[in-house]
Amino acid sequence: VQLQASGGGLVQAGGSLRLSCAASERAFNSYTVAWFRRAPGMDRTFVAGTHRTYGRLYYDDAVKGRFTFSRDNARNTVYLQMNGLTPEDTAVYYCAVGPSVILSNLRSESAYAYWGQGTQVTVSS
């Protein structure tokens, strides 16, 4: 599965961006999909995602209420709507896909088999 992430950019604090991640295969629609981010000098961490079996959405506490994960199966695309951005959200954002992620590993980057190239989000104060 090839993933193409886009939508990053420079935005002022309080602004919004919508990230997109398009997959090359329709099988993507039955996989677990997540967004991760890597802030400067930090490890890559889970942001939001949905498990292939349970369907519910999961968010990191730092983004809950501000970010919204969604998917359009007809377009093989997932989105991350980011509102109320703060400088602490500055990072490279990655989409990731896993065909066999168990729920307890949803937030673990090692559980995902396929990764997009990342898109830079920079929030100025």
Side-chain angles (χ1 to χ4, degrees), residues 30-96:
S30 61
Y31 292 173
T32 295
V33 186
W35 288 96
F36 286 76
R37 65 185 180 184
R38 187 194 303 274
M42 306 291 286
D43 293 334
R44 191 155 53 184
T45 59
F46 175 85
V47 176
T50 181
H51 190 270
R52 62 187 178 92
T53 299
Y54 302 100
R56 61 168 288 186
L57 301 176
Y58 300 84
Y59 295 94
D60 182 75
D61 286 345
V63 307
K64 200 172 294 183
R66 299 187 297 123
F67 290 12
T68 303
F69 179 104
S70 62
R71 68 191 304 167
D72 183 340
N73 288 342
R75 290 182 167 82
N76 297 346
T77 301
V78 296
Y79 304 96
L80 186 68
Q81 177 66 44
M82 306 186 296
N83 298 329
L85 286 162
T86 73
E88 289 69 36
D89 296 315
T90 294
V92 179
Y93 285 71
Y94 300 87
C95 55

Side-chain angles (χ1 to χ4, degrees), residues 2-3 14 20 30 84 98 121:
Q2 293 184 331
L3 303 174
S20 300
S30 61
V121 172

